[in-house]
Amino acid sequence: MLPAPAQAAAPPWAELVPAGTTQVVRTVSSHDYCRRVWCTLTQAWERDAEGRWEKVREFRSTIGSRGWGKQREGDNRSPVGVYRIKVTFTTGSENPGEMPWRRRRATSVVSGAAGPNYNTWVEVPGVTSGNRPSMRSGWVVDYNHVRLRPGAGPRPVPGKGSGIFYHTSKPGHRWAPTAGCTQVGNPRQMRWLLTWLRPDARPRIVQGR
C-alpha cells in the first residue's frame, strides 16, 4: 500500500486569520523588482475545502516610503497585522464585484484632520481630487476604526493614522512609494482583486507577515 501523500504545511501567517476565512490578500516586502524599503509583492491566497492554502495570483506593489510599522499620522509607514476590508470602491457607477462597495467621487475624502471626523469617509464640497487616477479603484483597510460616516462605530484613535487604502496607481507612477497605503500598480490587477474577493470567504488583509 502506498503511503498517503503528505499535506502541505500551512503558511505561517495562516494561524493569524479567523478559522472561517478562505481568502487572504497578503502584502510582504520583496526585492524581486527593486531593493527599496517600500518594494513589496501583493498575493492572493485561497483556502480549499480540505483546508489547504494556495497562492493563486501575485502582483508587484509598493507601500509607504518608510516601509512597515505605522505608529502615527504622517509617518509614511504602512501598518503591520491582519485587517478586514471596510469597503471596496471604484469611481464607476456599479460595483465590479460582490464585496460591500461605495462609489468614490471627486469630493470623497477619508479625513486626516484632527476633530470629530478624523479617519472618517466624508464628502467635502469643493474638493476635486477624490477620484484622481490612483484612487479610481481599491478598498478601505479597517485600520484605526475607520468610519464610513460621521459618528458610526468606535472612535478612531486621534493621531494613530487615517485613510489606509489598497489603491491603484496614477499613469507613469506605478511603482512609486505611498504615504502609508498599499499601491497595486497595475490597474487591471486591482480590478482582478475586486472581482475575486467574496463576502462569504470572510477575506482578510495580511500585512508584513
Side-chain angles (χ1 to χ4, degrees):
M1 179 182 294
L2 294 175
Q7 184 169 340
W13 49 261
E15 64 183 19
L16 303 176
V17 302
T21 290
T22 59
Q23 287 184 325
V24 161
V25 178
R26 178 181 182 236
T27 297
V28 289
S29 297
S30 171
H31 289 161
D32 284 3
Y33 296 99
C34 69
R35 304 191 67 84
R36 305 302 290 268
V37 70
W38 62 77
C39 301
T40 55
L41 289 174
T42 292
Q43 305 164 341
W45 288 78
E46 194 149 23
R47 186 162 61 91
D48 66 19
E50 283 71 47
R52 295 172 298 205
W53 285 97
E54 178 185 6
K55 183 171 61 176
V56 294
R57 295 287 296 272
E58 185 171 82
F59 311 120
R60 184 180 177 183
S61 57
T62 58
I63 57 168
S65 60
R66 295 187 64 199
W68 298 110
K70 187 159 197 67
Q71 298 292 324
R72 64 185 184 278
E73 186 76 31
D75 64 5
N76 291 322
R77 295 181 181 272
S78 295
V80 171
V82 177
Y83 302 96
R84 296 174 184 266
I85 295 173
K86 189 74 172 183
V87 71
T88 65
F89 63 82
T90 62
T91 54
S93 59
E94 295 183 357
N95 186 351
E98 300 178 25
M99 294 290 288
W101 169 85
R102 176 178 288 192
R103 185 176 187 180
R104 190 168 172 93
R105 303 177 184 276
T107 54
S108 299
V109 172
V110 175
S111 178
N117 289 338
Y118 180 69
N119 204 24
T120 300
W121 183 314
V122 291
E123 303 296 329
V124 182
V127 168
T128 59
S129 60
N131 60 355
R132 60 195 181 276
S134 63
M135 297 301 292
R136 287 179 180 164
S137 61
W139 60 78
V140 181
V141 177
D142 194 6
Y143 171 78
N144 191 22
H145 304 304
V146 63
R147 291 169 161 174
L148 296 182
R149 63 180 186 276
R155 184 185 180 212
V157 177
K160 186 179 178 180
S162 63
I164 301 297
F165 304 99
Y166 270 60
H167 61 74
T168 188
S169 61
K170 62 181 179 180
H173 295 81
R174 282 190 174 182
W175 318 122
T178 72
C181 300
T182 298
Q183 178 175 273
V184 177
N186 187 327
R188 291 191 300 274
Q189 293 171 346
M190 174 56 76
R191 185 82 174 188
W192 183 89
L193 285 166
L194 291 174
T195 57
W196 171 72
L197 289 163
R198 306 186 316 275
D200 64 351
R202 302 180 186 177
R204 290 296 186 274
I205 307 305
V206 175
Q207 297 248 109
R209 301 287 191 188

